[in-house]
Amino acid sequence: MNSNDTLERLASIIESRKLVNGGDPETSYVARLLHKGPDAFLKKIGEEATETVMAAKDIDCGGATPELKGRLVGEVADLWFHTLIALAHYKLRPADVLAELERREGTSGIEEKSLRKAQQREATND
């Protein structure tokens, strides 16, 4: 089983929780977040990102114990999950993100960032 399959299965479950697909905010956490709108799930993404950073810093300070590493993995899983909810809301799939990562593969991060800045400057000057 590959990770893309796992992400796509999870994305399909999230899609099924949308109100238009019969999701019930009374019984489904995902449906509840989607029903509340972007502010709700975007806030969760921010919270989970912060918790991910804190878990990583705990490893930096406390050593890479199995417990601390497990906490980091759990926080990243929470972050990815809530990000998948955002993707579903905006009618995107994990495959869209994977395609972008594949597009960037082999390009230095410094080059990529420089290119994005140049594109932003061009868009601002137009």
Side-chain angles (χ1 to χ4, degrees):
M1 170 173 41
N2 90 31
S3 56
N4 187 30
D5 293 340
T6 301
L7 290 173
E8 279 300 326
R9 276 195 314 278
L10 187 52
S12 293
I13 291 168
I14 290 168
E15 190 69 28
S16 76
R17 301 298 198 271
K18 287 183 173 180
L19 299 179
V20 298
N21 295 328
D24 181 0
E26 296 297 319
T27 61
S28 166
Y29 173 72
V30 171
R32 188 175 315 132
L33 279 179
L34 289 169
H35 177 69
K36 288 180 179 180
D39 285 349
F41 57 78
L42 295 174
K43 179 180 176 186
K44 286 300 296 180
I45 291 171
E47 290 172 6
E48 298 303 342
T50 299
E51 290 171 3
T52 298
V53 169
M54 290 168 42
K57 294 304 283 179
D58 286 347
I59 291 173
D60 288 340
C61 295
T65 66
E67 179 185 339
L68 292 177
K69 289 170 81 174
R71 184 168 158 245
L72 177 58
V73 168
E75 295 301 345
V76 170
D78 290 345
L79 178 59
W80 285 14
F81 176 77
H82 288 90
T83 302
L84 287 171
I85 293 172
L87 288 174
H89 174 80
Y90 296 111
K91 296 178 175 51
L92 295 164
R93 300 287 293 192
D96 298 308
V97 177
L98 294 172
E100 176 61 13
L101 290 171
E102 288 171 8
R103 184 191 69 76
R104 293 180 185 186
E105 189 174 2
T107 304
S108 119
I110 293 171
E111 289 174 27
E112 177 69 23
K113 187 173 183 179
S114 179
L115 178 61
R116 276 184 283 155
K117 282 184 178 181
Q119 290 170 339
Q120 289 171 347
R121 278 193 301 273
E122 281 182 26
T124 305
N125 293 332
D126 286 345

